[in-house]
Amino acid sequence: MSDSKTPLLDELEKGPWPSFVKEIKKAARTSRKAKDLLGQLELSYKDKKTHWKHGGIVGVRGYGGGIIGRFSDVPEEFPGAAHFHTVRVNQPSGWFYTTDALRQLCDIWDKYGSGLTNMHGSTGDTVFLGAGSDELEDIFTELSKAEWDLGGSGSDVRTPSCCVGPARCEFACYDTLALTYDLTMAYQDELHRPLFPYKWKFKMAGCPNDCVASIARADFSIIGTWRDEIRIDQAAVAEYAEKGLDIQSDAIRRCPTRCMKWDGNTLKINDHQCTRCMHCINVMPKALRPGTDTGAVILIGAKAPIVQGAILSSVLVPFMKIEPPYEELKDLIEKIWEFWDEHGVARERIGELIQRVGLGNFLEAIDIEPSPQMITQPRDNPYIFYEEYYAEEKEGGEA
Amino acid sequence: MATKEEIKARKTDIGPPHYERFLHPIIKENYGQWQYHEILRPGVMMHVSESGAKLYTVRAASPRLISTDFIRAICRLADKYCDGYLRFTSRNNIEFLLKNEANIDPLIADLKAEGTLVGGTGRSISNIVHTQGWVHCHSSATDASGLVKVVMDELANHFTEMDMPHKLRIAVACCLNMCGAVHCSDIALLGVHRTPPRIDHEKLPNLCEIPSTVASCPNAAVRPTFIDGKKSVEVDEDRCMYCGNCYTVCPAMPIADPLNDGVSIWVGGKVSNARSAPMFTKLAIPYLPNNPPRWPEVTEAVKNIVEVYVKNARSYERMGEWIGRVGWPEFFKLTGIKFTKYHIDDFKYAGTTYRRTTQMRGV
Ligand code: HEM
Ligand code: HEM
Ligand code: SF4
Ligand code: SF4
Ligand code: SF4
Ligand code: SF4
């Protein structure tokens, strides 16, 4: 038998998948914080319960968000984990780095923190795990000197994030990285100083494949699309067929609208029927490409279950051109925020507010014309709240 | 230590560094000009630009919870093979961006020596997106990193090979807050509390502010009350959905319950708009016990679902599309998972999920 102090966690060093326990142990060689995290986690594995409590707001001067407080409930046993806060660092668009930039972050973190990170948190931030309460100002000062800033937390704009987009993906229908950077910069105040009813997430996906899951996770999802024809390279289609792709069963029959035809020589698409789902393009990226009149669908309101149940984003603007300086988009965002500020109650996400007041009323308030693209079907109940009706004409008066 | 002056002089609201500083020159030159890509083998992609330029990407697994040592190690590899450029993906994989095709094999060999795996492209199971769990969250009903590790140990060959009917995306969240979209994954593991918070009426008046504790409950289950003449709160247990928000505000209301906390399993969600519309995950298994360190019941159940999917789904069918085609009775039959009353929705609008046609299979 080994005399290891962490027999349970040691089991998670085995197996082919890279081990987070090994990572904690690496950090624990030089960091007391990481060492005590390991000890406390072993205790959780033994007790089958968490040993963290929240119980305190921590932060840095000037900002309301960016730091998440975390305290151990067994600080006497594990003093290094007593204060173990999260620092959310605003990641670069698309999660691109140079090694110099990463080493700079590592140097700051090794100097003050536990040496443990999440690359990245689910919202997108570069996450430092395990900062002491007394070190927060120092960490932020050093980050700021090195030209890094904190991300969002609490009832604010959460750190926007995007897919790899035009940097490396041929499907990108607009510049996700540029828009992410632009909105992040435009809304620095809203990002750092929580004043909303609840959190607000922006996510930018370059095409309907939605590799950042914006339709499931963002209050405001901007998903690239096009409105002209799919570009077809017939020679490349033939090449796929020659190389053994079963175009009939893998592309034609899987097309949700059955708007494609393949006679063995020529591929035809009835673009008028096409819903731009991406499937055929995914199957034959060398032969098919989105059109050139590109833009995005704007969707609104996704959230996780708490409180009123999970919601997927729904269509708000069926098509919008997405080009700098993005004025139309920002006008829309700000109008929505105004409405949310006025009508939202505490901890009500925009998706819940829209369900409460009705999409129709919401559209009216933000000056968007209703369109059948926003729904899957018209209502099937007769409980219509008519706002306009004829009144009996009064004597000599108006209706 | 930062002095008061330094703190005052600190630049704020500067935002993240501009991403262009971090783009490989090939990417800068061909930005928005990519024409097509090929997956050369699992974990290796080639993107070809209209200019003819080629960029190679090698995708490697990461446990997400990583040390600065690990980051420095991958930086050394990126310096050696990628001119000092790399990125991370939306599922916490690492992508090495190479100009030189000849560097692919040596890079992969070095990555293996570093203890990681290359894969996650195309028809594979990619890295699991997950939350903090016992590593760092107060409301967790299970650990997230540990579950990811044991499940991916079991499924690693589907990360390194592209042998699935289609992409399979797994997510783990450690409580109902679901910090990270488990509600739209092919397979989702969700930590569940099953009992309301326990109130320490001795400590509560000193530790917690009553109005904010009452306000913390999203379901209005927490009410002010008096216990032995002292102010405290009570929980309406019928309204409690075990979310742990009250504990966030009031440490005298712990929700963790080692005997009852555990893991539920959900299937058939997706976020992509390809073919079918995005879908929520639906309940497959309401509860499995927390059995750390390796959660054998959970890994067994996930493996079973994956195997049944691989065997039965058609090419390019995601989990939810396959179940949509064959129907839920068939899913429960093929997987051998027991169907219970918990599978039937009884929250708001539950009736929309009742079958209102005589058309059904598997009777
Ligand atoms: C109201 C209830 C919620 C509470 C009390 C809560 C609390 C937390 C806590 C404590 C963390 C961990 C931070 C850390 O230790 O690093 C966290 C992370 C996070 N939360 Fe929540 N959360 C709640 C709801 C949500 C919801 C509804 C969403 C999504 C719509 C969400 C998204 C996230 C994300 C993306 C993270 C980062 C997770 C990661 O990458 O590990 N949270 N939350
Ligand atoms: C052949 C077509 C596709 C291409 C070229 C493609 C491209 C990409 C790229 C470049 C990434 C990295 C994104 C980033 O981190 O910013 C990615 C990630 C991802 N994509 Fe796609 N995508 C395709 C189809 C799809 C489809 C159809 C789905 C869903 C059904 C999907 C789901 C995802 C997910 C979940 C990720 C995260 C994967 C990871 O990090 O390992 N993609 N994809
Ligand atoms: S969402 Fe579309 S554009 Fe963005 S990385 Fe995925 S496939 Fe490419
Ligand atoms: S994009 Fe989708 S709907 Fe359009 S032709 Fe291709 S498979 Fe059919
Ligand atoms: S899912 Fe729940 S337990 Fe997990 S990090 Fe989010 S709030 Fe914490
Ligand atoms: S666990 Fe959630 S639902 Fe239950 S009392 Fe606490 S806050 Fe309310």
Side-chain angles (χ1 to χ4, degrees):
Chain A
M1 277 293 289
S2 84
D3 55 357
S4 164
K5 291 205 181 80
T6 55
L8 295 171
L9 290 176
D10 295 351
E11 290 299 312
L12 296 177
E13 291 188 76
K14 300 172 184 164
W17 193 253
S19 166
F20 71 100
V21 172
K22 282 190 184 151
E23 293 304 311
I24 303 178
K25 286 191 175 177
K26 279 187 215 163
R29 287 195 301 242
T30 49
S31 160
R32 174 67 199 257
K33 286 187 177 130
K35 185 160 177 270
D36 281 356
L37 174 75
L38 188 73
Q40 181 180 314
L41 188 61
E42 177 75 12
L43 187 63
S44 278
Y45 270 63
K46 188 160 146 263
D47 296 348
K48 299 189 189 184
K49 70 181 203 119
T50 183
H51 281 289
W52 297 108
K53 57 182 182 179
H54 195 283
I57 301 293
V58 291
V60 294
R61 190 192 148 102
Y63 282 12
I67 313 280
I68 297 156
R70 183 69 71 245
F71 300 88
S72 170
D73 72 1
V74 279
E76 301 80 16
E77 229 174 306
F78 302 107
H83 300 214
F84 209 85
H85 312 316
T86 293
V87 182
R88 286 185 176 165
V89 181
N90 197 148
Q91 84 288 359
S93 285
W95 301 291
F96 282 94
Y97 295 90
T98 56
T99 51
D100 287 344
L102 279 177
R103 275 190 283 259
Q104 183 184 44
L105 289 173
C106 288
D107 289 343
I108 296 174
W109 193 228
D110 281 340
K111 187 163 157 198
Y112 294 104
S114 70
L116 285 169
T117 72
N118 287 151
M119 301 296 276
H120 294 80
S122 310
T123 309
D125 306 87
T126 309
V127 168
F128 290 166
L129 287 174
S133 301
D134 298 339
E135 295 151 345
L136 295 170
E137 295 295 355
D138 289 341
I139 292 167
F140 183 31
T141 304
E142 294 237 4
L143 282 170
S144 171
K145 271 189 202 154
E147 298 186 22
W148 293 89
D149 203 345
L150 301 187
S153 68
S155 297
D156 62 6
V157 169
R158 295 297 178 85
T159 316
S161 69
C162 63
C163 76
V164 71
R168 204 208 46 211
C169 187
E170 67 272 26
F171 299 160
C173 293
Y174 73 95
D175 191 339
T176 52
L177 288 80
L179 179 63
T180 300
Y181 185 75
D182 188 283
L183 292 183
T184 307
M185 298 310 284
Y187 298 124
Q188 282 289 298
D189 195 31
E190 288 81 358
L191 201 153
H192 290 133
R193 290 162 203 94
L195 284 173
F196 288 150
Y198 203 10
K199 65 183 88 171
W200 175 279
K201 295 186 180 173
F202 285 116
K203 286 197 192 294
M204 336 295 162
C207 83
N209 283 329
D210 195 2
C211 297
V212 279
S214 73
I215 207 164
R217 307 198 290 178
D219 299 272
F220 200 82
S221 325
I222 304 162
I223 303 181
T225 188
W226 64 97
R227 57 182 173 185
D228 53 349
E229 289 89 49
I230 292 179
R231 287 175 282 168
I232 308 177
D233 176 344
Q234 298 289 354
V237 179
E239 195 186 316
Y240 275 111
E242 259 161 50
K243 283 192 182 154
L245 179 76
D246 187 338
I247 296 190
Q248 209 63 36
S249 78
D250 284 344
I252 310 290
R253 259 186 268 136
R254 295 239 163 262
C255 166
T257 61
R258 299 292 167 100
C259 64
M260 312 173 76
K261 275 210 181 86
W262 165 246
D263 61 10
N265 290 311
T266 315
L267 182 75
K268 285 206 181 108
I269 299 179
N270 178 354
D271 287 279
H272 189 66
Q273 289 289 317
C274 166
T275 50
R276 292 157 284 132
C277 82
M278 289 302 290
H279 174 72
C280 58
I281 302 176
N282 288 340
V283 174
M284 296 181 275
K286 205 169 171 178
L288 304 180
R289 304 173 74 184
T292 51
D293 184 8
T294 57
V297 188
I298 314 293
L299 301 98
I300 188 151
K303 58 177 287 293
I306 305 287
V307 180
Q308 303 293 341
I311 307 176
L312 287 166
S313 283
S314 69
V315 172
L316 183 65
V317 182
F319 187 87
M320 188 189 276
K321 291 300 261 188
I322 305 290
E323 280 153 8
Y326 315 110
E327 258 162 41
E328 191 185 355
L329 189 67
K330 286 179 191 157
D331 280 350
L332 176 64
I333 292 164
E334 284 156 31
K335 257 190 209 154
I336 296 171
W337 283 350
E338 229 170 83
F339 181 81
W340 190 33
D341 255 352
E342 194 173 328
H343 300 279
V345 299
R347 300 178 60 105
E348 187 176 41
R349 297 279 287 270
I350 190 72
E352 287 165 323
L353 171 61
I354 293 172
Q355 289 205 338
R356 181 161 63 83
V357 302
L359 178 63
N361 292 323
F362 174 70
L363 293 171
E364 196 169 63
I366 59 166
D367 278 328
I368 291 190
E369 276 296 312
S371 81
Q373 280 84 4
M374 297 170 183
I375 53 164
T376 55
Q377 59 168 58
R379 74 162 73 223
D380 57 10
N381 67 65
Y383 309 129
I384 310 172
F385 291 95
Y386 291 101
E387 287 172 357
E388 295 130 39
Y389 45 83
Y390 302 111
E392 205 72 60
E393 253 182 60
K394 290 198 193 102
E395 235 153 276
E398 300 270 304
Chain B
M1 277 283 283
T3 62
K4 275 217 172 73
E5 286 67 40
E6 269 182 300
I7 292 173
K8 264 203 177 140
R10 184 165 62 200
K11 279 184 291 177
T12 59
D13 300 299
I14 56 174
H18 197 281
Y19 56 91
E20 270 180 15
R21 281 171 48 192
F22 302 145
L23 300 179
H24 191 290
I26 291 204
I27 291 186
K28 260 196 207 158
E29 285 154 25
N30 297 283
Y31 196 91
Q33 306 298 316
W34 300 108
Q35 193 181 350
Y36 70 95
H37 77 282
E38 279 172 25
I39 301 176
L40 301 179
R41 54 186 142 129
V44 183
M45 294 184 286
M46 173 181 73
H47 283 78
V48 180
S49 160
E50 319 236 8
S51 72
K54 288 180 179 159
L55 172 71
Y56 300 91
T57 300
V58 172
R59 186 180 283 173
S62 144
R64 188 179 89 137
L65 175 57
I66 53 180
S67 64
T68 47
D69 280 23
F70 181 86
I71 299 175
R72 289 179 203 277
I74 59 174
C75 283
R76 280 194 292 276
L77 297 183
D79 282 338
K80 194 163 157 196
Y81 298 115
C82 313
D83 314 303
Y85 295 90
L86 73 166
R87 72 177 289 268
F88 295 83
T89 71
S90 52
R91 299 188 82 86
N92 311 311
N93 290 311
I94 306 152
E95 286 186 341
F96 294 88
L97 305 162
L98 302 87
K99 192 167 62 183
N100 186 350
E101 192 177 2
N103 278 337
I104 295 175
D105 286 324
L107 168 63
I108 292 177
D110 282 4
L111 280 167
K112 290 208 170 125
E114 203 58 58
T116 188
L117 301 172
V118 170
T121 50
R123 299 183 187 200
S124 68
I125 299 182
S126 192
N127 205 344
I128 298 183
V129 287
H130 67 103
T131 49
Q132 297 293 2
W134 293 337
V135 169
H136 208 237
C137 192
H138 63 286
S139 56
S140 44
T142 187
D143 189 32
S145 309
L147 277 175
V148 169
K149 167 73 176 143
V150 296
V151 168
M152 284 313 285
D153 274 345
E154 208 59 60
L155 301 175
N157 59 319
H158 295 301
F159 179 83
T160 53
E161 298 300 326
M162 303 193 291
D163 56 358
M164 306 287 293
H166 201 5
K167 295 167 189 297
L168 187 105
R169 301 297 187 224
I170 307 179
V172 173
C174 25
C175 85
L176 302 199
N177 284 320
M178 291 194 191
C179 305
V182 316
H183 57 304
C184 293
S185 306
D186 294 284
I187 301 180
L189 309 183
L190 175 65
V192 285
H193 297 293
R194 300 191 302 155
T195 49
R198 282 154 303 283
I199 306 170
D200 185 338
H201 292 296
E202 281 293 305
K203 291 198 185 130
L204 193 138
N206 300 327
L207 280 175
C208 315
E209 205 206 330
I210 307 272
S212 56
T213 307
V214 169
S216 74
C217 178
N219 256 10
V222 180
R223 297 187 192 132
T225 186
F226 284 90
I227 303 282
D228 299 334
K230 279 204 277 185
K231 273 190 191 170
S232 188
V233 298
E234 63 184 358
V235 171
D236 176 347
E237 304 204 346
D238 289 339
R239 296 190 75 128
C240 178
M241 62 202 177
Y242 327 122
C243 71
N245 281 324
C246 50
Y247 178 55
T248 304
V249 172
C250 173
M253 298 179 72
I255 179 132
D257 175 353
L259 205 58
N260 283 294
D261 291 349
V263 180
S264 57
I265 300 187
W266 305 69
V267 298
K270 76 195 266 281
V271 292
S272 149
N273 290 274
R275 299 170 309 286
S276 53
M279 295 185 248
F280 285 132
T281 40
K282 284 106 187 162
L283 183 63
I285 303 179
Y287 174 77
L288 291 170
N290 267 333
N291 200 354
R294 294 207 68 101
W295 283 270
E297 295 85 354
V298 176
T299 53
E300 204 43 54
V302 172
K303 214 172 127 189
N304 175 38
I305 294 169
V306 170
E307 276 170 8
V308 171
Y309 163 71
V310 169
K311 205 164 137 205
N312 292 281
R314 292 182 185 157
S315 180
Y316 289 109
E317 250 175 2
R318 293 280 296 263
M319 177 82 70
E321 293 170 316
W322 161 60
I323 299 172
R325 175 167 60 81
V326 301
W328 285 99
E330 192 70 0
F331 170 82
F332 284 99
K333 190 172 129 202
L334 288 172
T335 55
I337 295 170
K338 189 165 182 277
F339 187 83
T340 68
K341 83 165 198 182
Y342 292 120
H343 289 91
I344 303 176
D345 193 358
D346 56 5
F347 196 62
K348 262 192 233 169
Y349 317 120
T352 56
T353 59
Y354 302 168
R355 188 184 302 277
R356 297 184 198 275
T357 167
T358 58
Q359 300 178 10
M360 67 195 112
R361 268 171 286 202
V363 286

